[in-house]
Amino acid sequence: MTSSKNWKKSKLLIPLGAATLLLSACGTVSSKPTPSSTPIEVRYRVPASCDSTGMLSAIKTSISNAEVISTQWTPAPGTELADVIDHGGIACSYGVQSAEIGATAMWVENKGQMFEYRIPSWLNTGYKRVDITGYPKSRAYLLFKPQSPTQEFRVWQLEMLINGFWIRLSTSSGDTSESNLHLIIAAVKSIHPIA
């Protein structure tokens, strides 16, 4: 009787052992992913249109009736806007046109180091190098001019280089990079990774 029991146990162990062999032949099972030996380079592209960015939602937090302002850009040769448009970039305005409030954003791939080429000129006109919270690998320069008897409108303009893209933000509100961080985040998130 004992040998019969042992035979039944061994019949059960054989299929279990065979299953173990099959699983081990398929490879090891691990709950931890193994890191890739080569880093994956993420490529980005400019927004497809002014409507496809996150800018309008960001602006609506302070200007509830803001809209995408349709603008036919005709930049003069040699200007920064011409560099953006001529190199496959996009420029967009958001806000309330009749009240002249809102923001303008531009995105372009930094081909030929357009961003670096402009830095001396920016510094000569009063821009200051700034750090942007949450974006330690970016380079950014901010121009702020308060409204005054000689300055009709408040000026806040940020030039930022991140992920190989030059982003410009202009608005008439705020005085530091922190005061318009929601716009910066929306602008950065608007450059989409290429799948």
Side-chain angles (χ1 to χ4, degrees):
M1 189 114 183
T2 325
S3 62
S4 162
K5 280 185 182 178
N6 287 341
W7 182 80
K8 285 181 184 175
K9 281 184 185 176
S10 65
K11 272 180 84 175
L12 290 173
L13 291 175
I14 291 171
L16 196 57
T20 305
L21 280 173
L22 282 172
L23 284 175
S24 64
C26 292
T28 59
V29 178
S30 172
S31 61
K32 291 182 182 176
T34 54
S36 172
S37 58
T38 56
I40 297 169
E41 181 183 344
V42 179
R43 298 212 9 104
Y44 294 87
R45 62 176 169 79
V46 297
S49 70
C50 296
D51 294 310
S52 70
T53 73
M55 295 300 296
L56 185 58
S57 296
I59 289 169
K60 281 191 170 192
T61 61
S62 57
I63 306 169
S64 61
N65 58 337
E67 299 176 324
V68 175
I69 299 170
S70 179
T71 308
Q72 296 299 316
W73 303 105
T74 53
T79 62
E80 293 172 1
L81 179 59
D83 277 350
V84 169
I85 303 298
D86 293 346
H87 289 93
I90 186 172
C92 304
S93 290
Y94 307 87
V96 180
Q97 189 168 15
S98 60
E100 296 182 357
I101 56 171
T104 297
M106 300 188 318
W107 299 265
V108 69
E109 189 174 353
N110 189 33
K111 297 174 184 173
Q113 297 191 320
M114 290 182 292
F115 182 90
E116 292 82 355
Y117 172 78
R118 297 286 183 178
I119 292 172
S121 173
W122 294 333
L123 293 173
N124 285 337
T125 55
Y127 281 80
K128 304 288 183 217
R129 174 87 189 253
V130 293
D131 293 321
I132 307 296
T133 302
Y135 299 102
K137 293 185 179 180
S138 68
R139 289 178 68 187
Y141 297 86
L142 177 67
L143 176 66
F144 169 66
K145 291 182 179 180
Q147 191 174 8
S148 70
T150 57
Q151 179 74 35
E152 184 179 357
F153 295 104
R154 170 190 288 253
V155 173
W156 185 97
Q157 188 160 297
L158 180 78
E159 312 289 348
M160 182 176 185
L161 180 66
I162 187 164
N163 297 331
F165 282 79
W166 170 15
I167 298 172
R168 168 184 280 175
L169 285 173
S170 302
T171 185
S172 57
S173 65
D175 53 2
T176 66
S177 57
E178 296 299 317
S179 57
N180 284 311
L181 189 57
H182 66 296
L183 296 179
I184 296 169
I185 292 168
V188 172
K189 286 184 176 179
S190 294
I191 52 172
H192 303 289
I194 300 171

